[in-house]
Amino acid sequence: MTNRLATAKSLYLRKHAENPIDWWDWSDAAIETARRQNKPIFLSIGYSSCHWCTVMEGEAFSNESIAQYMNANFLPIKVDREERPDLDSIYMQSLQLMTGQGGWPLNVFLTPDDLVPFYGGTYFPVEPRYGRPGFLQLLQAIRRYYDGEKGKLEAFKEEILDYLHQGAAVAKAEEVGATKDLLWRGLDVNTGIIARQTPGQSFPMIPYAQLVLQGSRLHFESKYNLKQASAQRGLDLANGGIFDHVGGGFHRYTVDPTWTVPHFEKMLYDNGQILEYLATLWADGLQEPAFDRAIALTVQWLEREMTAPSGYFYAAQDADSFATPEAVEPEEGHFYVWSYTELAAILTPEELKALQEDFTVTSEGNFENSNVLQRRSNGSLSPTTEAALMKMFRVRYGIEPEAGGVFPPARNNQEAKTHNWPGRIPPVTDTKAIVAWNALMISGLAKAASVFSRSSYLKLAARAADFILENQWVDGRMQRLNYDGVPAVAGQAEDYALLIKALLDLHQASLSFLQNPSDAASDSPPSQWLAQAVQVQAEFDQYLWSDELGGYFNTAVDSSSTVGGLPLMVRERSYTDSAISAPNGVAATNLMRLALLTENLEYLDRAAATLQAFRSIMEASPTACPTLFSALDWYQHCTLIHTTPDLLASLSGQYLPTAVCQLADELPPGAVGLVCEGLSCKEPATTAEQLLTQMLNSQTREV
């Protein structure tokens, strides 16, 4: 028998539809019922490809005794964090305050009258283990606390609210102020985040790596080598087990510090950011063959498995998959790993030997008696190794790697187990579209297209952008999600900021293909992407800008940010980077780019106001906000380059991190380009060499 979640659009919510727990969605009806029945709310937040979310769904949430007690004593609510990142952010901060750490599943208990949390945790087992209490015993203790310790409960909630309000009300600086020393410090301490190898898990952390690479062109004293640190992060990503060397695409992180064994889910947001980062490293001069191969294979994976017929990109693929149609539970990583016995049967002795020379393949394996492929060295793979990898692709997918085409998604466990797959059973794919994540992939494809002169990448990006622009507005407002052609959920700050960035990236990439109209991404001129960016920015400014504090709120005041008659506990302006860059850092850089490209200085004023709004955070907690430091670099070194179509094409391979290009309407006689630094222009360049020198000097100028 199914519960209310059976009709949900979210794959994550539907995964809980057969639980005996009487789940509700986040709604007025749920809150009002909890108040009427005087039940504390059990709020559980996760996402479809989360491994421990899946484990808890199959254990505690499927347990009849737990469900019976939960239904009688609590009002259980399920939320997909990918639908509501605003809710996730607020309650994750609360959990981190309560326990000192966070993660998913995010499980918190709220009082129904004000929705303030008073207890929380992540994964709870059915029986006590891993140093965690059994879930039923925990529920019983929490209900006793709720009923019998009202004074302590209210005092604790007051602490939580004070903390959240302090975090939301960041003090605004009087002015942007002296910025050079602040930028140097931000670069130095954030390089430490990337350069130091620490025990435990390894995450891509692209917002940090991107800042370090961006700052590596500048000359200042640091105990770190920024160029080396940023290069090593790219090599770890392209060579490590975090990359799927057979089918393409990057997993979310590795469980070790050596980039060997991944947590196997693949998230669109990681892959878009890593594409952009590797292409940028290439443009900066590190033309490592592994980067080109990783980008090409990831684009093939994107086209084969992650692109909807209408052009948008799917959100994620699970870490787990079924070994056989008869299996009761999926196994982590089964789709991706290889036993030595299997490899010996698939490959010739020469191919197996070559594979072992290039990858860490052993009879013992490195993950549960199986092998995750990890490169032993840089450089190109041998033809014999490539032949071995192609055979492994055929075994996994049951199709030819060079055939192209689409590998259909398994949309749920039932489809995964019942479809007649020609190879292994694939993991479940979450086929919803998320605007922010699509935007990250559009940016990655646009950068790779211009750096490698591959128009096919640009066309793939443009098609996704066209889908968003044509389908994600309802009554004049952007919608964050799309479920099989149906837009849903009001757009949030990260959707606006990252989409504007993507449109500006498409504008810049399209300029490099002006000489070859047949390679154009679409029939629209590059200026059309800029016009769309201006239009989306206007909506962003209208609904999410804070006139009082500066910066952008996560949600609009008229959006679905109220429930049960209450607004969210706090109205946040996100500035802290995580796996994805925080929207206010991205927005500040967008505003600088728009100011240069449109010559509208109101954008410059708003960029300055955003940096003012968060300057105190940049001074006190620089490692929290690398993207704001990237924006500060733009504020100091912003450069506009006017030039001709032929030179625009040649510039596409250059790394100019705080510059934008524009097709010159008119240049002085004999000039080939004009370089403008902030609000002043240099003398017109009369040769390509002079133009390049001016551009490079502008990127490192003293301010």
Side-chain angles (χ1 to χ4, degrees):
M1 184 175 177
T2 59
N3 57 42
R4 293 178 186 82
L5 301 185
T7 58
K9 294 177 181 177
S10 161
L11 172 61
Y12 173 67
L13 299 186
R14 289 201 309 275
K15 283 184 174 182
H16 296 76
E18 296 185 8
N19 293 162
I21 289 177
D22 188 20
W23 291 112
W24 294 71
D25 62 353
W26 181 262
S27 62
D28 289 339
I31 306 304
E32 289 163 3
T33 300
R35 291 170 181 166
R36 187 173 62 253
Q37 298 178 359
N38 189 29
K39 287 182 177 179
I41 292 168
F42 172 63
L43 175 63
S44 183
I45 304 176
Y47 57 100
S48 66
S49 57
C50 165
H51 173 71
W52 287 104
C53 301
T54 301
V55 172
M56 196 165 180
E57 184 279 321
E59 294 178 348
F61 296 154
S62 296
N63 182 282
E64 292 288 348
S65 298
I66 289 172
Q68 184 177 1
Y69 189 85
M70 174 75 79
N71 296 339
N73 292 278
F74 296 87
L75 194 295
I77 295 178
K78 257 290 167 196
V79 168
D80 183 342
R81 71 175 293 258
E82 294 167 0
E83 286 191 331
R84 294 298 302 268
D86 53 339
L87 287 175
D88 178 70
S89 176
I90 291 169
Y91 288 110
M92 183 61 74
Q93 286 189 69
S94 303
L95 177 64
Q96 289 168 337
L97 178 65
M98 288 187 276
T99 68
Q101 58 187 3
W104 297 275
L106 164 57
N107 295 311
V108 287
F109 295 83
L110 322 177
T111 49
D113 55 331
D114 53 16
L115 309 181
V116 178
F118 61 91
Y119 189 86
T122 54
Y123 166 76
F124 292 118
V126 175
E127 301 295 337
R129 56 177 172 163
Y130 310 131
R132 300 166 190 251
F135 195 43
L136 179 57
Q137 291 72 31
L138 178 69
L139 292 174
Q140 292 167 342
I142 288 173
R143 183 69 210 213
R144 287 194 298 271
Y145 178 69
Y146 177 79
D147 291 332
E149 300 285 354
K150 294 293 186 182
K152 290 182 180 179
L153 186 149
E154 291 301 323
F156 183 72
K157 288 193 327 182
E158 196 65 37
E159 288 183 28
I160 296 286
L161 277 173
D162 286 346
Y163 170 81
L164 292 174
H165 286 137
Q166 288 173 16
V170 177
K172 182 179 180 181
E174 291 298 319
E175 56 183 358
V176 177
T179 57
K180 184 171 71 172
D181 290 343
L182 180 60
L183 177 59
W184 291 171
R185 180 166 177 259
L187 286 169
D188 186 60
V189 298
N190 281 293
T191 302
I193 300 293
I194 295 298
R196 292 192 299 266
Q197 186 181 63
T198 56
Q201 301 163 337
S202 297
F203 288 84
M205 301 184 74
I206 297 300
Y208 293 84
Q210 196 73 50
L211 171 65
V212 175
L213 176 57
Q214 183 173 317
S216 67
R217 77 194 195 282
L218 300 172
H219 308 295
F220 70 100
E221 290 187 11
S222 174
K223 54 184 170 292
Y224 304 106
N225 184 320
L226 277 70
K227 186 78 72 175
Q228 181 179 326
S230 56
Q232 189 59 53
R233 179 51 50 102
L235 293 169
D236 288 336
L237 291 168
N239 292 332
I242 195 170
F243 177 61
D244 179 358
H245 295 274
V246 172
F250 291 85
H251 302 292
R252 194 161 75 90
Y253 64 93
T254 62
V255 299
D256 51 68
T258 58
W259 299 93
T260 303
V261 177
H263 201 34
F264 290 91
E265 70 264 48
K266 291 180 180 177
M267 313 300 293
L268 183 68
Y269 61 75
D270 283 321
N271 282 274
Q273 292 178 100
I274 294 172
L275 277 190
E276 183 173 5
Y277 184 66
L278 295 182
T280 304
L281 280 171
W282 186 281
D284 192 43
L286 184 57
Q287 298 185 353
E288 165 57 42
F291 295 170
D292 189 5
R293 184 177 189 275
I295 289 170
L297 283 183
T298 298
V299 174
Q300 290 173 26
W301 162 77
L302 185 72
E303 292 182 291
R304 183 179 64 244
E305 302 175 49
M306 295 291 287
T307 303
S310 53
Y312 68 81
F313 305 125
Y314 300 144
Q317 290 179 324
D318 284 4
D320 309 332
S321 58
F322 292 99
T324 66
E326 295 74 33
V328 176
E329 295 292 338
E331 298 177 19
E332 185 178 5
H334 184 270
F335 190 65
Y336 301 105
V337 300
W338 306 88
S339 71
Y340 189 82
T341 302
E342 185 179 20
L343 291 174
I346 295 169
L347 307 177
T348 67
E350 293 77 17
E351 289 168 341
L352 182 56
K353 182 174 182 292
L355 189 70
Q356 288 181 286
E357 289 174 351
D358 283 326
F359 292 92
T360 54
V361 172
T362 65
S363 57
E364 298 83 12
N366 53 19
F367 174 72
E368 299 181 357
N369 299 315
S370 293
N371 289 279
V372 174
L373 298 187
Q374 182 174 22
R375 291 280 297 270
R376 294 185 183 275
S377 60
N378 300 327
S380 299
L381 297 174
S382 71
T384 307
T385 298
E386 290 284 14
L389 292 169
M390 290 180 72
K391 283 188 176 180
M392 295 163 69
F393 182 98
R394 294 185 192 104
V395 169
R396 183 196 287 178
Y397 289 99
I399 58 176
E400 294 295 323
E402 62 273 10
V406 174
F407 189 79
R411 296 172 180 266
N412 52 56
N413 284 347
Q414 184 66 16
E415 281 190 15
K417 294 176 72 170
T418 58
H419 185 81
N420 185 25
W421 303 103
R424 294 177 175 178
I425 299 174
V428 170
T429 298
D430 187 345
T431 58
K432 70 173 176 287
I434 302 176
V435 168
W437 298 10
N438 270 256
L440 287 167
M441 182 54 77
I442 291 166
S443 289
L445 289 166
K447 185 66 177 181
S450 60
V451 169
F452 293 95
S453 298
R454 291 179 187 152
S455 60
S456 60
Y457 294 0
L458 191 60
K459 291 176 180 176
L460 189 61
R463 188 165 175 247
D466 284 336
F467 176 87
I468 292 171
L469 294 170
E470 293 168 7
N471 294 277
Q472 290 306 112
W473 266 260
V474 175
D475 297 329
R477 294 293 300 281
M478 182 205 289
Q479 303 297 296
R480 172 176 172 79
L481 305 176
N482 192 290
Y483 288 106
D484 295 323
V486 180
V489 183
Q492 302 203 2
E494 68 174 19
D495 300 299
Y496 283 98
L498 291 169
L499 179 59
I500 293 162
K501 176 185 183 298
L503 295 169
L504 293 173
D505 291 339
L506 278 172
H507 170 259
Q508 293 292 286
S510 298
L511 291 173
S512 63
F513 291 94
L514 282 175
Q515 276 194 304
N516 300 299
S518 62
D519 287 340
S522 67
D523 294 333
S524 302
S527 59
Q528 186 60 35
W529 297 120
L530 177 58
Q532 294 284 3
V534 168
Q535 186 173 335
V536 178
Q537 182 68 50
E539 185 177 323
F540 193 19
D541 292 340
Q542 179 180 355
Y543 292 105
L544 281 86
W545 176 257
S546 172
D547 288 319
E548 179 183 359
L549 299 171
Y552 294 89
F553 290 114
N554 289 358
T555 55
V557 71
D558 62 339
S559 74
S560 55
S561 57
T562 60
V563 65
L566 293 175
L568 298 181
M569 286 192 292
V570 292
R571 196 172 176 213
E572 291 186 302
R573 295 169 297 146
S574 286
Y575 53 80
T576 302
D577 294 300
S578 55
I580 298 176
S581 298
N584 274 290
V586 177
T589 295
N590 290 342
L591 290 164
M592 293 301 305
R593 297 171 78 184
L594 285 166
L596 294 172
L597 292 167
T598 67
E599 300 180 2
N600 181 347
L601 296 186
E602 290 182 9
Y603 292 127
L604 181 61
D605 293 340
R606 191 152 286 190
T610 303
L611 291 170
Q612 278 179 253
F614 301 106
R615 183 181 174 99
S616 62
I617 292 296
M618 297 169 74
E619 291 174 336
S621 304
T623 57
C625 51
T627 305
L628 279 168
F629 284 98
S630 294
L632 182 62
D633 186 15
W634 267 91
Y635 189 77
Q636 287 190 229
H637 298 103
C638 63
T639 303
L640 174 64
I641 303 157
H642 292 276
T643 190
T644 59
D646 56 330
L647 287 181
L648 283 171
S650 67
L651 291 177
S652 62
Q654 294 285 335
Y655 181 43
L656 302 166
T658 59
V660 290
C661 296
Q662 188 67 288
L663 181 63
D665 294 327
E666 185 178 352
L667 289 169
V672 299
L674 185 65
V675 174
C676 299
E677 299 177 347
L679 302 179
S680 63
C681 296
K682 304 180 78 66
E683 64 174 297
T686 57
T687 66
E689 292 75 16
Q690 183 185 11
L691 181 66
L692 180 59
T693 299
Q694 289 180 347
M695 289 188 307
L696 294 175
N697 289 340
S698 75
Q699 295 290 280
T700 57
R701 65 186 185 267
E702 287 290 328
V703 293

